[in-house]
Amino acid sequence: MTGAPHDTILVIDDELQIRNSLKEYLEDHEYVVLQAGNGREGLALALERRPDLVLVDLCMPVMSGQEFIVELVRQAPEIPIIVVSGVGDIDDAMRAVRLGAWDFVTKPVAKMPLLLHTIQSALERARLRRESVQHKLQLEREVHKRTRELEQTRAALAEQNGFLSTLLRSLPNPIFYKDAAGRYLGCNAPFAALVGLPVEDILGRTAEEIIPLERVPDIVRTDQEVLLSGGTVSYTFSLAASDGSTRSFQASKGAFLDVHGAVAGVVGGLVDVTELKRTQRELRAAYDRAEAANKAKGEFLANMSHEIRTPLNGVMGMLQLIQMSCADPALANYSGKALDAGRRLLSLMNDILDFSRIEAGKLSLSEEPFRLGEVVDSVTTALDTVAREKGLTLGFGLDWSVPEWLVGDGARIRQILFNLVGNAVKFTERGQVTIEAWARANQTWDDPQRAGEHQALPGGGTEGHAPVPRSRGPMLYLTVSDTGPGIPDEKLDIIFERFTQAEGSYTRQHQGAGLGLAIVRRIVQLMGGGICVESRLGRGSRIHVHLPLRASAASGNLAVAEHGQ
């Protein structure tokens, strides 16, 4: 055991020879030695330099060794003191130890190694004491820190518990939580009211003790499911409430974890869905009634349209005979106007009949071979006279990609084109109306979007999509464009609705009931296609239709044909 190199030792003795002797010996052992000739001088030096150890004689002038010990222990108790006592002064040395000295050595110091050992022992004790003090201070700091953290944690927990308690009390829905053994740890007043017990009578009890027995198996089963999975579960059940009524509830349960992350229990909440279920039943009944009324309306319109068309055809036949046989120009003019009105009425009846069939789900589609060119020619031929009277050019462009023969409902495609081209001719005052057709073959199409949705197109426009079945065959594209006034942006989303026209004033310039585009969209949807429109005010409109069809086995491609009217 040796002292640390360069430890400082203060030697206090009134005999210079002893001080020098001790100084020489200690410096040989790598100690730094300070000297003082009396107690007062030694005390001042000790307090100034703070040596690692002090060797002090007891019998000194000015301030004795014992007085020095008392003052140094009072002002610097951490500095170890070894008394170097004269022969015969052993009692004084013992008193000095009681006053605070750490050890003593008698003079004359005959064996310096004994003194060196005493010094080294005292320095080691001082080092251990310092380390003990530092360790104690560190422990005190850690304890203080942990105490402060615990106080902060306790305050945070108290605040959180207060918040959770307030939240639990303020929630109108029944809330509960219980441990892994199924014992209720807490609940709010609505849950207690539902069970019919005070909150304090629920705590610590299980579901078997407070819930009707017929509900217990489901409660236990769902609790175990949550505890095993650590997740959540939801289910609906009915319960006889404490007031005697039967209520329906949506229950939701979830696991809560302990500080170690293990599942500690179940927290759950109940939502009273009695009124919601009653409302759902009423809505379902109202929906069924509305469906029945709508079906009855459709059947009524279909029957009325049929009944009106039969005599109307007779009236129009008679008017045609009168017009053909009448020599009076005025009467012929009157009969012609009546015949035009009858045709419009017949067209309206046909639209109503078709729309009623679509609404009732009774409109069927045929699968027969047809030539698209013939379908378009029949449309342009029927509308050619009206177009010529308005000074319009009616054009048709058939791309080479369209197979000569297609398989589908050619009559419905004619109806689609007739409505679209008829609308374009009706609203266009100058310029032209054009039909374009092309195809893309050997592709597969899926349901692009939900049926009946409208999607805005770049430059203004909307698109209505319908489910497109997966089928390999040509996708037919038809575009009807005009140079009419265009459609305002705010009307683009509603022009496909029934009984709606872009021109919504009470006295419209153009005749029509607003069923044409609605019928077109329904037919396109039934055929598995889609329709969209793009328009600019003052620059005309373009309506695009795409339809999945099948090519006939003997089909070829047609060269581009342009038929200007």
Side-chain angles (χ1 to χ4, degrees), residues 341-356:
R343 290 194 184 99
R344 288 197 299 271
L345 181 58
L346 182 60
S347 176
L348 176 60
M349 291 298 103
N350 288 333
D351 285 346
I352 293 175
L353 181 59
D354 283 342
F355 198 83
S356 299

Side-chain angles (χ1 to χ4, degrees), residues 33-357:
V33 179
L34 305 175
Q35 297 184 54
N38 58 64
R40 182 174 297 173
E41 181 184 343
L43 179 63
L45 191 59
L47 294 176
E48 177 186 355
R49 300 290 296 273
R50 298 284 173 169
D52 296 295
L53 184 139
V54 175
L55 297 177
V56 61
D57 186 20
L58 293 179
C59 297
M60 292 182 297
V62 181
M63 177 183 282
S64 68
Q66 292 180 350
E67 293 173 333
F68 168 83
I69 292 171
V70 171
E71 285 300 317
L72 187 62
V73 168
R74 183 177 66 83
Q75 299 186 51
E78 73 279 3
I79 300 177
I81 304 171
I82 297 177
V83 174
V84 181
S85 175
V87 177
D89 294 333
I90 189 65
D91 292 335
D92 293 337
M94 294 300 296
R95 281 195 297 272
V97 170
R98 287 193 294 271
L99 290 174
W102 287 33
D103 207 341
F104 68 89
V105 178
T106 59
K107 291 193 297 184
V109 183
K111 296 181 179 179
M112 284 296 185
L114 176 61
L115 174 63
L116 182 63
H117 176 75
T118 303
I119 291 172
Q120 291 174 343
S121 298
L123 289 173
E124 179 67 14
R125 285 175 56 197
R127 183 186 64 78
L128 292 175
R129 176 179 289 186
R130 287 194 301 271
E131 291 179 355
S132 176
V133 170
Q134 292 174 356
H135 182 63
K136 180 180 178 182
L137 291 175
Q138 181 65 25
L139 286 177
E140 288 177 351
R141 286 193 292 268
E142 289 294 329
V143 169
H144 180 70
K145 178 183 177 181
R146 291 293 298 159
T147 301
R148 186 170 63 253
E149 290 176 350
L150 288 173
E151 289 175 350
Q152 293 173 348
T153 302
R154 187 181 299 110
L157 287 174
E159 182 179 356
Q160 184 178 13
N161 288 335
F163 169 76
L164 291 176
S165 298
T166 303
L167 180 64
L168 197 63
R169 288 194 304 269
S170 61
L171 287 175
N173 297 329
I175 304 294
F176 63 88
Y177 54 99
K178 46 188 172 181
D179 61 19
R183 293 183 293 266
Y184 286 93
L185 301 177
C187 65
N188 62 356
F191 182 82
L194 179 66
V195 175
L197 293 172
V199 173
E200 57 271 17
D201 291 346
I202 296 175
L203 303 184
R205 302 172 71 178
T206 62
E208 292 88 338
E209 299 174 275
I210 63 174
I211 303 295
L213 293 179
E214 64 272 12
R215 291 292 320 136
V216 171
D218 284 342
I219 294 175
V220 174
R221 176 181 57 80
T222 52
D223 283 354
Q224 291 301 315
E225 183 177 345
V226 169
L227 291 171
L228 290 175
S229 67
T232 60
V233 64
S234 296
Y235 61 96
T236 304
F237 68 94
S238 297
L239 183 67
S242 58
D243 60 1
S245 62
T246 300
R247 313 291 294 177
S248 296
F249 292 92
Q250 175 72 36
S252 297
K253 292 181 179 179
F256 67 86
L257 309 179
D258 60 18
V259 293
H260 305 293
V263 175
V266 176
V267 59
L270 307 176
V271 178
D272 192 335
V273 295
T274 306
E275 295 302 318
L276 176 62
K277 285 187 169 293
R278 181 184 62 79
T279 303
Q280 288 176 340
R281 290 193 297 269
E282 292 176 352
L283 287 175
R284 170 56 60 182
Y287 176 80
D288 292 341
R289 290 193 298 270
E291 282 289 299
N294 190 52
K295 183 178 180 181
K297 177 202 69 176
E299 293 175 353
F300 170 77
L301 289 175
N303 291 333
M304 288 300 297
S305 298
H306 179 73
E307 294 299 326
I308 292 174
R309 283 197 306 171
T310 300
L312 182 59
N313 283 328
V315 171
M316 291 177 62
M318 294 299 104
L319 289 171
Q320 286 177 331
L321 292 175
I322 292 173
Q323 191 180 35
M324 293 169 58
S325 61
C326 182
D328 185 352
L331 186 57
N333 182 41
Y334 296 153
S335 62
K337 291 182 178 180
L339 190 59
D340 287 340
R343 290 194 184 99
R344 288 197 299 271
L345 181 58
L346 182 60
S347 176
L348 176 60
M349 291 298 103
N350 288 333
D351 285 346
I352 293 175
L353 181 59
D354 283 342
F355 198 83
S356 299
R357 286 176 178 171

Side-chain angles (χ1 to χ4, degrees), residues 463-540:
E463 179 171 6
H465 293 284
V468 179
R470 293 179 62 88
S471 61
R472 298 190 65 83
M475 179 68 82
L476 178 63
Y477 294 89
L478 301 170
T479 297
V480 177
S481 55
D482 62 60
T483 56
I487 304 171
D489 289 344
E490 64 272 13
K491 298 292 186 179
L492 288 174
D493 288 334
I494 64 172
I495 61 172
F496 290 104
E497 301 297 329
R498 57 184 177 177
F499 308 118
T500 302
Q501 288 190 342
E503 184 184 4
S505 59
Y506 181 76
T507 56
R508 293 187 295 267
Q509 178 183 354
H510 306 285
Q511 298 293 327
L515 281 174
L517 289 180
I519 292 174
V520 167
R521 186 183 69 169
R522 296 298 183 90
I523 294 175
V524 168
Q525 290 174 351
L526 286 174
M527 297 181 74
I531 184 170
C532 64
V533 58
E534 53 179 327
S535 182
R536 292 183 183 274
L537 285 178
R539 298 177 60 181

